[in-house]
Amino acid sequence: MLERIVEEVAPLRGAGVAADYIPALARVDPGRFGIALADLDGQVHGAGEWETAFSVQSISKVFTLALVLAGTDESLWRRVGREPSGNAFNSLTQLERERGIPRNPFINAGALIVTDELISQVGDASGDLLAFLRAESGNPDLRVDEEVAASEAAHADRNLAVTHFMASYGNVRNPVPEVLDQYVRQCSIEMSCRDLALAGRFLAAHGVRRDGTELVTNRQAKRINAIMLTCGTYDAAGEFAYRVGVPGKSGVGGGILAIVPGRCAVAVWSPGLDVRGNSVAGVAALDHFTTLTGWSIF
Amino acid sequence: MLERIVEEVAPLRGAGVAADYIPALARVDPGRFGIALADLDGQVHGAGEWETAFSVQSISKVFTLALVLAGTDESLWRRVGREPSGNAFNSLTQLERERGIPRNPFINAGALIVTDELISQVGDASGDLLAFLRAESGNPDLRVDEEVAASEAAHADRNLAVTHFMASYGNVRNPVPEVLDQYVRQCSIEMSCRDLALAGRFLAAHGVRRDGTELVTNRQAKRINAIMLTCGTYDAAGEFAYRVGVPGKSGVGGGILAIVPGRCAVAVWSPGLDVRGNSVAGVAALDHFTTLTGWSIF
Amino acid sequence: MLERIVEEVAPLRGAGVAADYIPALARVDPGRFGIALADLDGQVHGAGEWETAFSVQSISKVFTLALVLAGTDESLWRRVGREPSGNAFNSLTQLERERGIPRNPFINAGALIVTDELISQVGDASGDLLAFLRAESGNPDLRVDEEVAASEAAHADRNLAVTHFMASYGNVRNPVPEVLDQYVRQCSIEMSCRDLALAGRFLAAHGVRRDGTELVTNRQAKRINAIMLTCGTYDAAGEFAYRVGVPGKSGVGGGILAIVPGRCAVAVWSPGLDVRGNSVAGVAALDHFTTLTGWSIF
Amino acid sequence: MLERIVEEVAPLRGAGVAADYIPALARVDPGRFGIALADLDGQVHGAGEWETAFSVQSISKVFTLALVLAGTDESLWRRVGREPSGNAFNSLTQLERERGIPRNPFINAGALIVTDELISQVGDASGDLLAFLRAESGNPDLRVDEEVAASEAAHADRNLAVTHFMASYGNVRNPVPEVLDQYVRQCSIEMSCRDLALAGRFLAAHGVRRDGTELVTNRQAKRINAIMLTCGTYDAAGEFAYRVGVPGKSGVGGGILAIVPGRCAVAVWSPGLDVRGNSVAGVAALDHFTTLTGWSIF
């Protein structure tokens, strides 16, 4: 079935444009495509360039959120909301109206709070994240792409503004430069569709990792999935919910992680983005997938 | 099972407050409660005060949306978006930023556009809605509560502001007073949980009515369900998605209509509202229901 | 001196565009020009088309404000502020943030409150205004241009939205349609530069009318002049203060009334507007005037 | 006359509260008061504590603006506007709507741009400012209060947010930390009423310094005065224009510099602030002053 999806989305490969605000991402060929599926048993299958590493970018927010919830039993929710934002992903207007409390953990402001919380818990947040991703994917070679990280750090004014702004409301615990550094590093991790599907599998498995231990409770896994469905794809969550019908989180590197609760995790990658920052061929592939399987929730 | 839910939510009955901006609604005892379930075969079961009529208010927006989509094959979507709003349900700021195009059909602004479109299609929008609801529920006595309608018409400044504002951007087709009148009438329809579950059943049945005819296509039914999940409960859609895990639409009369696609429609009613305008005991009852059945989608 | 100004602004006549949102105004030749000066003794001098009547539009807001202050001894200030708005003249966002209290009496929202207050005081607000303007100008033929009024009433959605919105906060006393009707009529009054300079003379005379009676106190006249300087020319008040250096109020009919406290009132008219809605040749003429006389306050 | 003003405002001394967001300022006794007047000849007179140094804070914005205009002949105006803002002095919402271009040079965002421009011109902006202030006041001991500077640098998150935000739109030339450092240093300069009146005298003298050289042109001096009148006292510019009737710039240290064009500069100081951040006794003293002299412009 995955091979069939590769064929069906072939006409869409190259549609859209690669993210251009980070030079290191802008150079990627928008026509590339890969897809992988990890089932509850930890088996993984793939098609296309499913073993090629790409920059996960905002998809990392799903994992830092899970790691923080694993550590704090939801004290995080005093510092960040859980509702859709209805604005461009980096708007400061909404943050001002709500006095420094971001709407949800997947807009940049919210993800910066999550990273700040993870720093408070473990110190080296991106290192902790990398250790988790290596263990779950079984790939000890996962690493931060230092060129991408440097490129993002050099274009971080908007995120620095957001973080200092929240700090002015007392909603940041650690020094702003440290929060930014860890945030940039987490976004710059490189993973393949294979790695990503395996790493996200625990969200399909009610919070249980491949080794059988519980990372988060069933309730927390439901929580994360619900936030993915309502807030995971920037300002296109309603459209994604309709077309794909399962929780998903996209990144401007062109990747999308989708979760079918109780069944599997699916990762797709194609760098051509639509105007809202989601992979054109990636969304189409997931649309085909849920149509073929009948696993849409609507 | 419905009886068990009635028992379990008993401690919550009376929590919250009845909507107070409409005098006719404010007088209702917040401790009342009813629940009904309609399956795909059109069988309906209930518990508590499931045959008592209450004011459907915003739940009517689901039905006008379906009627418009049945008539226009989605031309509506040039006039209203499909994304969560992230704002109070009657904010004008967002409407100004997006130049008169409401974010989705379930905030007041969007529902007023849907009503305007339905007037263009059929003339007497609330009459058309009533005919549909009577047919689907098998209850020929469904009617507009004229006292509630008069009360709402007398407190309509905010909705009048919203409608004139959209008209100033050219996004209203019919005279503003007529749109308001029809909108107020549709919100003031009285239905019981029984009526409501039967009327919403077609959304669980992929768009097919009790008599076997298709009201909307399967794709359109999916669309409506997706909008219910992401935008159906004011500024608590993320929380509702997590707790209940199926599409739902609430009204300030205390009712909620929830859809389990492919299985059934469930209607609950209890007038005590939380700060975001959703029924306290109603949400709790649906939470119990999806937990007991395992039908949460996450 | 007035003749010299007519010559100096001749190259600018026809620059800009006549207001196009009201058909009756859009037909006026943008190249027309007139100027008149009324001194404290009530002598009036003019040049160009200084006796041609034009639509005063927003300049009427100065007079309704004075009439209300004459009647209420400033109780108005609980319903409207006195600070510059920093926004387009018809923005609803600011009004929402400040919960239905307009920033100042010269943005549309504020002027609608002033009209509402005048209706409460005298009933027929535009009739009362007309009586005052006829008396002060000595021109018994001043009248409402009914074609302009009808045209504005037919394009009033934005102002209706603003008024209903304020009404939803409890800040409107009279029925919205009546407020709008009176507002539209006051804006549609036709006056010449001659009439306007004579009618505005009392603001240069510390509140004293031509017949020696006091319309407003010296403090109130100062107040009105200060509001004209900081808020009188839409989103160009800072620029007008710098270039012209005296209080002024413009209208989209192309007129501007300027006050030199203790000396005179000057009225100019030329229908070509800049992007901010102020008369191009009119502002230039006032710039010349204050430069020639040395009466700029800076 | 100055002694008489000291007596008249005596009952107001201690009204209001000292700025509390900077610990070093919060410790000052709010009851202190001084006033000084410098005439065109450079003669200076004073009363009360007119030779006691205090923190000039935002009053420094007048001088950096003049220094930049002296150097660039108004190229600055592509990066910052000249209109009142109508918002709290540190709002990011307006800055977002206008894409990183602040409304005027006296809100924090605008002043940060002015400092950035001055750094580009002279390198050590606060050093250049100090040199100018020493020369104009004839006081070689003027200096930065390092304790205040350190205190402000430690509470700079809001200003850092604003500056990074403008940088994200490409409207900042120098490194953000350097701009902030220079901005904090300029605000932390200590001056007495005597020093301040002498330093501001050139704005009353059409741009000409005490030594007879021209700092800015007459047009530029008019420009600065006009911006002071419309934007110099945070969100109370309309009220200040009415009560005082001449251009003024306040600071949260309790100082106000007022300019009577062609006549004199007046500086007052009293640390008790009203809710909008302006000195209670200071505004009252200037109100008395312009009433006694008849120099109000309205």
Side-chain angles (χ1 to χ4, degrees), chain C residues 82-87 94 97 103 219 222-223 225-226 229 235-239 242 247 261 276 296-298, chain D residues 82-87 94 97 103 219 222-223 225-226 229 235-239 242 247 261 276 296-298:
Chain C
R82 294 170 293 198
E83 295 298 325
S85 74
N87 263 334
Q94 193 166 60
R97 201 177 52 221
R103 292 277 299 178
R219 283 189 77 81
K222 280 177 62 176
R223 171 67 80 190
N225 288 336
L229 188 71
D235 201 18
E239 200 64 22
Y242 158 62
R276 285 167 162 172
S296 163
I297 60 181
F298 296 118
Chain D
R82 292 169 294 197
E83 294 300 324
S85 74
N87 261 334
Q94 194 167 57
R97 201 178 52 221
R103 291 277 298 178
R219 283 189 79 81
K222 280 177 63 176
R223 171 68 80 190
N225 288 337
L229 188 71
D235 202 18
E239 200 63 22
Y242 159 62
R276 285 170 162 172
S296 163
I297 60 181
F298 297 118

Side-chain angles (χ1 to χ4, degrees), chain A residues 74 82-88 91 93-94 97-98 103 206 218-227 229-230 234-243 247 261 276 287 290-291 296-298, chain B residues 74 82-88 91 93-94 97-98 103 206 218-227 229-230 234-243 247 261 276 287 290-291 296-298:
Chain A
E74 310 214 358
R82 292 170 294 195
E83 294 300 325
S85 74
N87 262 334
S91 168
T93 296
Q94 193 167 57
R97 199 177 55 219
E98 307 200 353
R103 293 277 297 178
H206 311 298
N218 185 22
R219 283 188 77 80
Q220 288 172 327
K222 280 177 63 175
R223 170 69 79 191
I224 297 169
N225 288 337
I227 298 173
L229 189 72
T230 52
Y234 311 119
D235 201 18
E239 200 64 21
F240 187 88
Y242 158 62
R243 283 189 63 188
R276 285 168 163 174
D287 184 356
T290 54
T291 301
S296 164
I297 61 181
F298 297 117
Chain B
E74 310 216 354
R82 293 170 293 197
E83 295 299 325
S85 74
N87 262 334
S91 168
T93 295
Q94 193 167 56
R97 201 178 52 221
E98 306 200 353
R103 291 277 298 177
H206 312 299
N218 185 23
R219 284 188 75 82
Q220 288 172 326
K222 281 177 62 175
R223 168 70 78 192
I224 296 169
N225 288 336
I227 297 173
L229 188 71
T230 52
Y234 310 119
D235 202 18
E239 200 63 21
F240 187 88
Y242 157 63
R243 282 189 64 190
R276 286 169 162 171
D287 184 357
T290 54
T291 301
S296 163
I297 61 181
F298 297 117

